[in-house]
Amino acid sequence: SQQGEEDPQALSIQEGENATMNCSYKTSINNLQWYRQNSGRGLVHLILIRSNEREKHSGRLRVTLDTSKKSSSLLITASRAADTASYFCATDLMNRDDKIIFGKGTRLHILP
Amino acid sequence: DAGVTQSPTHLIKTRGQQVTLRCSPKSGHDTVSWYQQALGQGPQFIFQYYEEEERQRGNFPDRFSGHQFPNYSSELNVNALLLGDSALYLCASSLYGAGGNTEAFFGQGTRLTVV
């Protein structure tokens, strides 16, 4: 069963705009990770944010985590065509080593 | 430093056959997890191997089995293939006991088609 649920399921924006994707989860976690997947191939790790962190940045990516609402957001600023991909949030389950559970993903399409 | 490698890249099998997929973890990692990803869905956890033993298992039938070797590489075996087993199979490597505070690295996956 899925622990995380991404919203929206799909998103199309113009190149240069910002893209925001949200993730909600059900149970307490140690950390939350965001991954990108191009054309149904392997997953690329983007950011890991721990449960005691509220915000994290990596280049054009900004991730927030609100454990009280059991939700996270991924912001991609100044989007580029190469950002077109599916984005997944993945959570571990507190006290369950290393098993991570994925949501269904957000399909992001950057329009030229 | 090689990342996670999976073989083969693509595979077509017939219903009822058996298949073996292979994964070599990232250097320095000792844990391998396998995921099944159907088209348009997120990856579903199959099982995880550490110290050559299955440590955790998702909601998959016994037709799905695995193995981990002393060099940490792993195999996923699926018996009596069904059409519904067609999917992208992903392998992820990580470091066991890190308390979930290290990222998992994924291979490029094996695309299995059952006809």
Side-chain angles (χ1 to χ4, degrees):
Chain A
S1 61
Q2 245 98 15
Q3 154 82 320
E5 288 287 337
E6 290 90 343
D7 175 66
Q9 290 187 0
L11 177 63
S12 294
I13 60 172
Q14 293 293 138
E15 192 169 14
E17 294 181 336
N18 296 341
T20 300
M21 288 158 273
N22 301 296
C23 168
S24 59
Y25 57 91
K26 299 173 185 175
T27 62
S28 296
I29 60 173
N30 289 312
N31 66 58
L32 183 145
Q33 305 181 57
W34 284 91
Y35 287 83
R36 185 185 74 229
Q37 185 177 42
N38 293 86
S39 303
R41 298 308 295 173
L43 292 154
V44 175
H45 186 270
L46 297 177
I47 288 184
L48 179 152
I49 185 166
R50 295 181 174 81
S51 59
N52 62 352
E53 297 175 314
R54 291 298 168 257
E55 186 170 313
K56 207 162 184 180
H57 296 254
S58 177
R60 294 183 295 111
L61 307 180
R62 181 172 79 99
V63 168
T64 63
L65 179 64
D66 187 335
T67 53
S68 66
K69 295 181 179 178
K70 292 187 170 58
S71 67
S72 173
S73 68
L74 169 67
L75 168 68
I76 304 174
T77 60
S79 62
R80 304 168 181 168
D83 296 328
T84 294
S86 291
Y87 292 81
F88 296 90
C89 71
T91 55
D92 70 337
L93 301 178
M94 188 171 282
N95 301 322
R96 298 276 301 269
D97 281 335
D98 301 323
K99 172 183 175 179
I100 58 174
I101 301 175
F102 288 83
K104 294 183 178 180
T106 292
R107 279 156 288 288
L108 176 64
H109 186 208
I110 307 300
L111 303 168
Chain B
D1 176 25
V4 181
T5 58
Q6 290 186 244
S7 63
T9 305
H10 292 87
L11 200 53
I12 299 176
K13 303 288 283 186
T14 304
R15 268 183 304 174
Q17 287 188 318
Q18 178 264 344
V19 68
T20 297
L21 310 181
R22 296 177 176 81
C23 172
S24 293
K26 179 179 169 62
S27 177
H29 283 182
D30 56 11
T31 300
V32 173
S33 302
W34 286 93
Y35 291 81
Q36 180 195 66
Q37 186 179 23
L39 201 60
Q41 300 295 314
Q44 296 286 314
F45 178 78
I46 303 175
F47 42 53
Q48 181 184 80
Y49 277 84
Y50 168 69
E51 288 189 337
E52 303 179 47
E53 290 187 11
E54 183 182 295
R55 297 288 173 167
Q56 297 190 61
R57 190 178 182 92
N59 189 27
F60 279 81
D62 292 344
R63 297 187 297 109
F64 290 77
S65 63
H67 189 77
Q68 186 179 35
F69 300 94
N71 66 352
Y72 307 121
S73 67
S74 176
E75 290 181 349
L76 164 66
N77 300 293
V78 186
N79 294 322
L81 284 167
L82 304 174
L83 296 179
D85 295 331
S86 295
L88 180 68
Y89 288 84
L90 294 161
C91 166
S93 77
S94 58
L95 199 57
Y96 191 82
N101 286 319
T102 59
E103 61 196 67
F105 288 83
F106 282 80
Q108 288 299 301
T110 294
R111 173 72 63 186
L112 172 65
T113 302
V114 182
V115 296

